Amino acid sequence: MVMVKKRIVIALGGNALGKNLHEQMLAVRETAKAIVDLVEEGHEVVISHGNGPQVGMIQKAMDSLIKNEPQYGKVPLSVCVAMSQGYIGYDLQNALRETLLERSIVKPVSTVITQVIVDEKDKAFENPTKPIGSFMTKEEAQVLMDKGVKVIEDAGRGYRRIVASPKPVDIVEIDTIRTLLDAGQIVIAGGGGGIPVMVRGNRLKGAKAVIDKDFASSTLAQLIDADCLIILTAVEKVAIHFRKPGERWLSDLSINDAKAYMKEGHFAPGSMLPKIEAAVEFAESAKDRFALITLLEKAKEGIAGKTGTVIK
């Protein structure tokens, strides 16, 4: 069978990056192998990624700095997102370059510091829901809550700070991303969902928010006219009745069935639900587009139709 070359956006989950700098440097080596598998097949690839642990770590470090040396001033969340894009991109670029050269593939890799436009009237600003940063004890969380910081208990694993998560509207650097892709480069863009910005005339103002990386990846995939959006996660396939009686793993999922399952509450908010929502959004945005949800190491097999859950 002849492999049809595709333009693909790969949305990396947190498990592909580790939880700290040391883990990340090790994790990106395995991540690079899975991505280069697709490049080796001739596909055009754009990579996006999450940044939950990383942006939380950066903001915590900046807050500690300001506490001890207040002359530096408060560092906005949008700037912390930009920092996370830079250092995650740095590790990914180098791991990809090394893996490409090991396979005798000469192909440049670029990271684009990416700003994503959000609507300042988005209702998400009134109801923060997006957990960021490391887990805290109840006592640590209480210290923040006493300062007016919004914190939630996250799935029995501890407490985390929450911020607004508005929907992406447009991507400022989209022409740059297209140009690099058309020139044959591998592009890393939209890291952490992008730096959230609001348009104020000719100025872009950073927003105190974190955009969901799956929705940002869907927007990115649509704007570069991708054929496929791959959302990589911790399971090989999507399931209904997950970890319950009647559990069923799905290989193919129609847009209508996906919407019905979402309405029935099969997918957990903050976990699989946004992935399904983003996949459906992309799949129904144009004819012949499809999304794939699977494990990182199964991406190549998934594109070949051998595993994963395909939404179309």
Side-chain angles (χ1 to χ4, degrees):
M1 186 178 75
V2 177
M3 174 68 69
V4 178
K5 295 179 181 179
K6 295 179 174 64
R7 177 169 285 192
I8 300 169
V9 170
I10 303 172
L12 298 175
N15 59 317
L17 295 171
K19 296 177 182 177
N20 55 48
L21 185 57
H22 176 68
E23 286 186 11
Q24 179 173 296
M25 292 179 71
L26 296 175
V28 292
R29 292 180 177 275
E30 296 306 312
T31 299
K33 292 175 186 176
I35 293 169
V36 174
D37 283 345
L38 295 174
V39 174
E40 208 165 26
E41 295 281 348
H43 301 301
E44 296 180 325
V45 175
V46 176
I47 303 150
S48 63
H49 58 78
N51 73 341
Q54 293 85 358
V55 75
M57 177 189 71
I58 290 168
Q59 186 158 61
K60 191 173 182 179
M62 293 298 102
D63 288 346
S64 295
L65 171 66
I66 304 314
K67 183 178 179 180
N68 295 314
E69 301 187 53
Q71 71 270 21
Y72 286 107
K74 181 82 174 169
V75 178
L77 181 57
S78 56
V79 174
C80 294
V81 173
M83 290 179 180
S84 74
Q85 286 189 356
Y87 99 78
I88 293 170
Y90 163 67
D91 278 345
L92 273 173
Q93 277 183 204
N94 284 343
L96 285 164
R97 178 181 180 275
E98 183 177 343
T99 306
L100 287 163
L101 292 175
E102 284 172 354
R103 302 189 195 183
S104 301
I105 301 171
V106 179
K107 185 177 280 288
V109 186
S110 299
T111 297
V112 177
I113 302 301
T114 313
Q115 301 174 96
V116 175
I117 296 171
V118 298
D119 184 350
E120 61 185 296
K121 295 180 181 178
D122 193 309
K123 296 292 185 183
F125 287 108
E126 300 172 12
N127 181 34
T129 58
K130 184 74 172 175
I132 65 167
S134 56
F135 290 98
M136 300 175 285
T137 64
K138 187 174 182 179
E139 292 73 24
E140 290 171 329
Q142 190 62 54
V143 171
L144 290 183
M145 288 189 282
D146 291 342
K147 295 178 181 178
V149 177
K150 295 194 175 183
V151 175
I152 61 165
E153 197 280 326
D154 188 0
R157 296 175 291 176
Y159 292 79
R160 295 176 80 189
R161 183 185 172 200
I162 55 170
V163 295
S165 184
K167 290 290 180 68
V169 174
D170 201 357
I171 296 175
V172 178
E173 291 78 17
I174 195 62
D175 287 339
T176 301
I177 295 166
R178 288 194 193 107
T179 299
L180 291 168
L181 191 58
D182 289 343
Q185 298 203 27
I186 298 170
V187 185
I188 302 163
I195 305 162
V197 294
M198 300 176 289
V199 179
R200 300 283 176 82
N202 291 332
R203 181 169 172 254
L204 296 172
K205 177 178 172 55
K208 192 175 182 180
V210 170
I211 302 167
D212 184 276
K213 73 105 171 53
D214 295 316
F215 287 115
S217 300
S218 174
T219 299
L220 172 61
Q222 292 174 62
L223 291 175
I224 65 167
D225 195 25
D227 302 295
C228 175
L229 168 64
I230 303 179
I231 298 177
L232 300 174
T233 187
V235 291
E236 187 169 343
K237 295 183 180 183
V238 174
I240 56 172
H241 304 293
F242 184 59
R243 291 180 178 172
K244 298 176 182 176
E247 179 181 76
R248 180 158 62 92
W249 298 94
L250 307 171
S251 296
D252 296 291
L253 187 56
S254 71
I255 290 170
N256 288 338
D257 284 346
K259 289 179 177 179
Y261 290 144
M262 284 191 285
K263 191 173 181 180
E264 292 169 9
H266 282 282
F267 310 119
S271 179
M272 187 57 74
L273 180 60
K275 293 173 174 53
I276 299 292
E277 290 175 330
V280 167
E281 178 185 87
F282 175 73
E284 66 180 356
S285 64
K287 185 180 178 183
D288 295 329
R289 286 179 177 170
F290 69 96
L292 168 68
I293 299 178
T294 193
L295 287 166
L296 169 68
E297 57 268 28
K298 298 289 184 178
K300 180 179 176 181
E301 292 176 49
I303 283 291
K306 297 177 181 178
T307 191
T309 301
V310 173
I311 296 98
K312 62 181 179 180

